[in-house]
Amino acid sequence: MTPAAYAVLNLNALAHNLQKVRDYAPDAKVMAVIKANGYGHGMLRVAETLAQAQADAFAVARVQEGIRLRKAGLHSRIAVLEGFTCAEELGDLLAYQLDAVVHTASQLDLLAQQGGPAQIAAWLKLDTGMNRLGFSPKEFPRVSQHLSQCAVVKQPVNLMTHLANADDRGDTMTLKQIQLFRQTIGDTLGERSIANSAGLLAWPEALSDWVRPGVMLYGISPFPDSIGAQLVLKPVMSLHSRLIAVKPLAKGDTVGYGCRWVCEQDTTLGVVAIGYGDGYPRYAKPGTPVLVNGQRVPLIGRVSMDMITVDLASQPHAKPGDAVTLWGEGLAVEEIALCADTIPYTLVCGVTQRVRLVEAEC
Ligand SMILES: *Cc1c(COP(=O)(O)O)cnc(C)c1O
C-alpha cells in the first residue's frame, strides 16, 4: 500500500530543467547546486541523474555533503560552497578531491601551512554586496597574490561571487555587483562564476564561465511573481497523501485546534493525512489550495502535525482513500509558498524523513 504521505520525484524533469539552463546559458559550464539533500529531493539520486545528463560539476554547502557524494561513487567535480573551517576539513577536501571555496583569512593560513603538491582547486570568493561570505574588493589583490603562492593550490585560482537580489528584475544592485566583480578581478587568470538561478534567467550580464543553478533545476521559479511552468521548467517533486476521513459539518461547527475556523454553512469536511510533521507548512492560510481527485479545494482550520482539513463542498462524493496532491504536478509549490508566507525553497527542503520519496516510473 502507498504510504499516507509520499513524494513522487520525476527525474526526467531534472534532465529537462538542466537543458533549460543550457538554453539560457549556452556558453557556460553548469555547476548544479545540490546542497541540503538536493533541495529535499535526495542528493544522491539528483547527483546521479544530473551526472548522466552531463552536468559539468556539482556544488554542496558542507564538506560532509561532498564526502557523501564521493563515497556514493560520484566522480564529477564537486565544489564546497562554505569551504573548510579547520585543518581536518582541509584534509578531507584533499582526500576526497573536493574544490574549496576560499572566503576568509583563516582559510588562507591553513592553505599556506599545507605543503605541495598542488592538488586542491580553489574558488576565491569575492563579497560584492551580499555581505555573507567572501573577501572585500579591497582585499582581493593581496588574497589573490597569497593564493598564487600556496603550494597546495592548483593554479590559476577560480573566481566567484554571489548575487544578493537577482530575483528582483528591477533592482540595479545586481548590475552593480556584476560590475564591481569584473572591475575588481580585471584580467586576473582563472574561470569566473556569478549567477545562481535568478541571475542566469534574468541577467545576461551575469553569465560567465560557470553558472550555479539550484532551485530552477528542481522546476521551481526563483522569482516571487512567476511559477516554474512560465519559465518552461517542470516540477520534479509532487507531494501526495490521501483522504482518511470524510464527514458532514453543520453551520456553526468549528474545525481544528484553536477553533479558529467556523463553518458558515453546512458542508462536507475532508481530513488528509499530512501535516507539519511531514513538512506541510504550519502557517498555510485557510483557503490554500489542495487537490482532491485532481480538483482544487480549500484548506480550512489549522494545520496540525499529522493532518490537515479541507472543505469538500465542491466534492460531495469524495471518500476516504481518495488521492490528494499538496504541491507539484498540477499545483505549483510556488503558489503554496505564497499562501504560507514563505518561499518554495523552504517547502521542498523541509519535507521530513517520514515522507517516503518515490521515483516516478518514466
Ligand atoms: C544556493 C546557492 C546557489 C543556488 O541558488 P538558487 O537560487 O537555488 O539557484 C548558487 N550559489 C551559491 C553560492 C549558493 O549558496
Side-chain angles (χ1 to χ4, degrees):
M1 203 166 97
T2 36
Y6 62 101
V8 175
L9 303 173
N10 177 356
L11 301 180
N12 285 342
L14 265 179
H16 167 91
N17 298 333
L18 175 61
Q19 185 52 47
K20 288 296 135 195
V21 172
R22 299 223 183 264
D23 293 347
Y24 278 95
D27 301 321
K29 286 178 276 191
V30 178
M31 180 182 282
V33 182
I34 57 172
K35 60 198 182 190
N37 198 29
Y39 288 47
H41 294 67
M43 183 172 68
L44 299 182
R45 80 161 59 74
V46 169
E48 198 177 305
T49 306
L50 290 175
Q52 251 169 36
Q54 315 279 309
D56 302 284
F58 292 91
V60 292
R62 312 264 163 84
V63 177
Q64 283 310 320
E65 294 173 319
I67 294 176
R68 194 165 151 237
L69 288 169
R70 283 286 181 252
K71 285 189 168 162
L74 186 74
H75 297 296
S76 313
R77 191 164 174 188
I78 303 170
V80 178
L81 295 171
E82 293 180 358
F84 53 97
T85 51
C86 58
E88 190 191 340
E89 280 194 343
L90 176 55
D92 285 336
L93 295 184
L94 289 163
Y96 291 96
Q97 285 295 292
L98 304 170
D99 287 19
V101 170
V102 180
H103 55 80
T104 194
S106 59
Q107 293 176 319
L108 297 178
D109 298 337
L110 289 166
L111 286 169
Q113 285 156 23
Q114 187 80 40
Q119 49 183 331
I120 195 163
W123 293 82
L124 192 171
K125 185 162 188 180
L126 267 184
D127 184 352
T128 52
M130 175 79 168
N131 282 315
R132 204 173 57 181
L133 295 184
F135 297 99
S136 71
K138 217 175 80 205
E139 294 171 297
F140 176 76
R142 191 181 52 80
V143 173
S144 170
Q145 167 81 4
H146 178 106
L147 283 175
S148 72
Q149 290 165 353
C150 288
V152 74
V153 174
K154 288 182 192 164
Q155 305 296 332
V157 166
N158 307 291
L159 306 163
M160 68 180 284
T161 193
H162 193 41
L163 301 172
N165 200 24
D167 57 326
D168 181 349
R169 297 173 191 264
D171 188 353
T172 55
M173 167 86 175
T174 300
L175 289 180
K176 286 186 193 137
Q177 283 193 270
I178 296 167
Q179 206 174 30
L180 180 57
F181 180 67
R182 296 200 190 279
Q183 249 169 28
T184 306
I185 62 179
D187 55 6
T188 309
L189 292 178
E191 295 191 317
R192 287 126 163 82
S193 177
I194 303 171
N196 54 3
S197 299
L200 79 92
L201 288 166
W203 304 90
E205 301 88 344
L207 297 178
S208 54
D209 299 309
W210 287 88
V211 290
R212 306 188 308 272
V215 79
M216 71 178 286
L217 291 171
Y218 308 95
I220 299 169
S221 167
F223 306 109
D225 57 356
S226 69
I227 63 169
Q230 291 165 308
L231 304 166
V232 204
L233 301 170
K234 293 185 181 166
V236 178
M237 179 195 289
S238 293
L239 182 63
H240 301 285
S241 188
R242 286 174 292 157
L243 280 177
I244 55 169
V246 174
K247 62 178 80 175
L249 276 187
K251 182 176 175 185
D253 285 350
T254 64
V255 176
Y257 288 122
C259 308
R260 287 299 177 80
W261 198 83
V262 184
C263 202
E264 285 178 357
Q265 56 199 23
D266 294 0
T267 187
T268 304
L269 174 85
V271 181
V272 183
I274 198 150
Y276 62 79
D278 303 287
Y280 192 82
R282 164 73 175 75
Y283 294 105
K285 294 187 190 74
T288 300
V290 172
L291 297 184
V292 173
N293 296 320
Q295 307 283 324
R296 281 176 177 243
V297 300
L299 179 80
I300 59 178
R302 280 196 186 153
V303 171
S304 45
M305 187 182 287
D306 312 302
M307 286 171 261
I308 59 172
T309 39
V310 295
D311 185 345
L312 293 176
S314 63
Q315 286 222 40
H317 303 300
K319 56 186 187 312
D322 283 2
V324 176
T325 300
L326 291 311
W327 66 63
E329 200 69 59
L331 182 59
V333 67
E334 293 92 331
E335 183 176 351
I336 306 305
L338 284 179
C339 292
D341 281 331
T342 186
I343 53 173
Y345 295 71
T346 68
L347 297 185
V348 289
C349 275
V351 170
T352 66
Q353 290 278 326
R354 179 163 77 177
V355 176
R356 202 165 83 214
L357 303 181
V358 218
E359 291 172 19
E361 318 236 334
C362 303

